Amino acid sequence: MCGIVGIVSSSPVNQQVYDALALLQHRGQDSTGIATAEGRVLHFVKAKGQVREAYRTRDMRSLLGTMGLGHVRYATRGSASKEEEAQPFYVNAPYGIILVHNGNLTNTRELTRELFEIDRRHLNTNSDTELLVNVLAHELQAQVRGDDLDPDQVFAAISRLHERVEGSYAAIALIAGHGMLAFRDPFGIRPLVLGRRTTGLTGDEWIVASESLVLEAGDYEIVRDLAPGEAVFIASNGEMVSRQCAVNPRLAPCSFEYVYLARPDSIMNGISVYEARLRLGNRLATSIERYAPTGNIDVVMPIPDSSRPAAMQVAQKLGIEYREGFYKNRYVGRTFIMPGQAARKKSVKQKLNAMSSEFAGKNILIVDDSIVRGTTSREIVEMARAAGANEVTFTSAAPPVRYPHVYGINMPTSHELVAHGRRIPEIAQEMGADHLIYQEVEDMQAAILEGSGITELEMSCFTGEYITGTVSPEYLAWVEANQNS
């Protein structure tokens, strides 16, 4: 999971991209990068760390031009500690292309061989984004005739890219001297939304971003989500053209975006994230009534912040008092997306503090958005007991995460997942909870999709069914042997 943005403006774009990345910081905290296009000259800066600490005044002054893109990274391939793997990635031919990518490619071994043995392209990192920009460059080079570049050539290159690349990818690229390109994988797993604003005599300005909140903050009109398999090309003069470039596109957005990853004030694929989380809470309450002794529960508490809407609905539906017992330190990053288990474990108590006055002598029902590795959940149960809780019922607005996620979320290995190979009472024992209730898979799907017209979600980490149909047991074994989160 990463956050990406691209802007075609009538004025200098550097500050606009910076502001957009600050709004997307929840999607990645490992590193960040900004690139701008000044005519045929590309400028870019990338660095480790968060947006507000990564860029200096001299960096911003160097980012000249009215087209730009940016990235905040949370590593799912390669190494979070290597600055050279921060995005964007650049290739000098054809024209000069610089690209950012949100997602995860699942045929990296095959693409690496093809790029070396057939395309004769050199890769300098283990990043799948470097693979993606080189595939794009090769296919675009094959389409170019003469000095000019027209949208037909760009869309033909994206069609070939769809044929070669497997996995999830929402990507934005600047093509020096020509314009900005954005495209989405044929399943629409990772989000990408298009916006426009009109500025007097200068015509249309355009933005493409991972989440709609970026568009709203910049006073852009939300035009639509990019369709699965679609590509959009925006020339430097603001002219926009789009085309469906996949043979059999099929929308199956990632369920975990709605459960945890996205900000609640975003709308993705026409679905309000906040309202989806409210519905998740309503359905979770039904399961709690069925499986837990609710008569002796004194209070319902969320784990701030992403579980708060679900917890409010649970409390309302069960008729139990809602209380905020955990105080969150907002200067510590999201523990789930921190690189390395040791860093996550250390940060839990830095991030949350249990207020004893809300716990002493009470039977507590805790609502979290999900339970992945169990590290945070176990620490939270211990904190609740240390604060004086009499009994702890732990609930999850998402189903048990039992399988690796290979489409851009950092759950690459099954042995890291607390629910893998365990029954729910065994998970409860592992976490130290008196009772444990999960959302049902069917209820999660129904809650997210209600009223949307979308018929399916990417839910592989809950079901073990991989939407692209190209993820084999052999591939999962290779990922497990070669990659730790």
Side-chain angles (χ1 to χ4, degrees):
M1 180 192 74
C2 299
I4 60 176
V5 63
I7 298 174
V8 176
S9 180
S10 58
S11 60
V13 79
N14 52 356
Q15 187 67 47
Q16 298 177 60
V17 175
Y18 177 97
D19 292 342
L21 291 182
L23 292 170
L24 293 172
Q25 188 72 83
H26 61 285
R27 299 186 65 87
Q29 300 166 7
D30 296 345
S31 62
T32 179
I34 296 176
T36 59
E38 182 190 16
R40 294 186 178 276
V41 179
L42 296 174
H43 309 278
F44 63 97
V45 175
K46 52 186 184 177
K48 291 172 63 175
Q50 299 185 26
V51 173
R52 297 198 182 279
E53 64 190 25
Y55 302 102
R56 302 290 181 263
T57 301
R58 63 179 179 272
D59 298 325
M60 299 302 291
R61 286 175 175 166
S62 72
L63 293 167
L64 304 173
T66 58
M67 289 196 305
L69 51 75
H71 184 268
V72 287
R73 182 183 188 225
Y74 141 66
T76 54
R77 280 199 62 80
S79 171
S81 64
K82 293 183 178 179
E83 191 169 318
E84 64 268 23
E85 294 191 0
Q87 298 186 35
F89 274 84
Y90 166 76
V91 290
N92 67 352
Y95 305 113
I97 302 172
I98 195 160
L99 177 142
V100 291
H101 161 226
N102 174 30
N104 195 61
L105 309 188
T106 57
N107 64 331
T108 55
R109 293 173 294 175
E110 295 84 351
L111 287 174
T112 299
R113 283 196 299 270
E114 290 175 11
L115 285 168
F116 178 73
E117 296 174 2
I118 301 172
D119 300 346
R120 299 303 183 194
R121 285 184 170 267
H122 171 71
L123 300 174
N124 207 44
T125 71
N126 292 319
S127 171
D128 58 346
T129 305
E130 189 181 17
L131 282 168
L132 188 63
V133 71
N134 274 278
V135 172
L136 172 62
H138 179 81
E139 297 304 335
L140 191 59
Q141 184 78 63
Q143 298 296 327
V144 171
R145 301 289 183 270
D147 295 332
D148 294 330
L149 178 68
D150 64 60
D152 288 340
Q153 295 168 339
V154 174
F155 296 141
I158 297 298
S159 294
R160 279 288 299 138
L161 182 146
H162 286 328
E163 293 172 9
R164 295 183 64 180
V165 174
E166 297 172 5
S168 65
Y169 48 96
I172 306 170
L174 298 179
I175 304 175
H178 292 89
M180 184 176 79
L181 168 67
F183 55 96
R184 197 174 179 194
D185 72 71
F187 294 89
I189 297 171
R190 301 260 69 85
L192 205 57
V193 60
L194 174 69
R196 174 182 55 205
R197 67 185 180 191
T198 302
T199 55
L201 300 176
T202 58
D204 289 334
E205 297 182 327
W206 296 90
I207 186 171
V208 184
S210 295
E211 296 192 30
S212 64
L213 72 100
V214 176
L215 282 61
E216 293 169 351
D219 293 325
Y220 288 88
E221 168 200 356
I222 297 175
V223 176
R224 57 183 170 82
D225 295 271
L226 266 69
E230 183 184 19
V232 170
F233 184 74
I234 304 167
S236 51
N237 64 3
E239 293 182 7
M240 189 276 285
V241 288
S242 65
R243 186 173 302 173
Q244 177 54 254
C245 297
V247 176
N248 294 304
R250 170 182 156 198
L251 181 57
C254 176
S255 57
F256 221 75
E257 291 278 358
Y258 300 96
V259 167
Y260 172 80
L261 299 179
R263 260 184 45 165
D265 47 343
S266 283
I267 297 172
M268 291 179 162
N269 306 292
I271 300 171
S272 163
V273 175
Y274 181 74
E275 291 178 7
R277 290 176 184 170
L278 292 176
R279 295 192 294 267
L280 286 167
N282 280 330
R283 292 190 178 254
L284 177 62
T286 301
S287 292
I288 293 170
E289 285 182 308
R290 187 182 308 133
Y291 297 119
T294 57
N296 66 342
I297 293 174
D298 297 309
V299 294
V300 173
M301 289 184 182
I303 304 301
D305 287 312
S306 48
S307 66
R308 189 172 282 123
M312 290 191 300
Q313 293 303 106
V314 167
Q316 182 184 65
K317 188 166 182 178
L318 296 181
I320 301 172
E321 187 175 13
Y322 173 90
R323 304 290 284 185
E324 296 269 355
F326 293 97
Y327 177 77
K328 181 180 179 181
N329 177 2
R330 301 189 184 280
Y331 301 98
V332 174
R334 302 178 86 176
T335 52
F336 172 75
I337 66 174
M338 287 184 173
Q341 185 76 335
R344 294 185 198 103
K345 185 176 177 66
K346 179 182 177 182
S347 69
V348 173
K349 290 186 178 179
Q350 293 177 316
K351 176 183 175 181
L352 292 175
N353 182 52
M355 295 181 284
S356 298
S357 60
E358 295 293 343
F359 288 87
K362 296 178 182 178
N363 296 328
I364 311 296
L365 190 154
I366 294 173
V367 179
D368 207 351
D369 51 75
S370 57
I371 304 168
V372 180
R373 297 169 182 87
T375 307
T376 300
S377 306
R378 188 163 46 249
E379 295 278 340
I380 286 168
V381 172
E382 290 175 3
M383 289 167 64
R385 294 203 190 281
N390 179 47
E391 190 173 272
V392 179
T393 298
F394 205 100
T395 65
S396 168
V401 177
R402 299 188 184 277
Y403 305 95
H405 196 291
V406 299
Y407 297 128
I409 299 176
N410 198 10
M411 310 174 194
T413 59
S414 58
H415 73 267
E416 293 180 290
L417 308 174
V418 70
H420 180 74
R422 289 188 177 100
R423 296 180 298 111
I424 290 177
E426 294 172 325
I427 305 169
Q429 185 175 14
E430 178 72 17
M431 289 169 46
D434 296 291
H435 307 281
L436 175 63
I437 296 98
Y438 281 98
Q439 186 86 262
E440 302 286 349
V441 172
E442 296 78 9
D443 285 342
M444 179 191 71
Q445 183 175 29
I448 293 171
L449 296 182
E450 183 179 319
S452 70
I454 300 172
T455 59
E456 61 181 330
L457 292 169
E458 197 294 302
M459 304 188 294
S460 58
C461 61
F462 306 114
T463 66
E465 298 171 4
Y466 295 91
I467 201 79
T468 59
T470 56
V471 176
S472 66
E474 184 276 331
Y475 173 75
L476 292 175
W478 176 79
V479 171
E480 183 126 5
N482 290 275
Q483 187 174 341
N484 288 314
S485 64

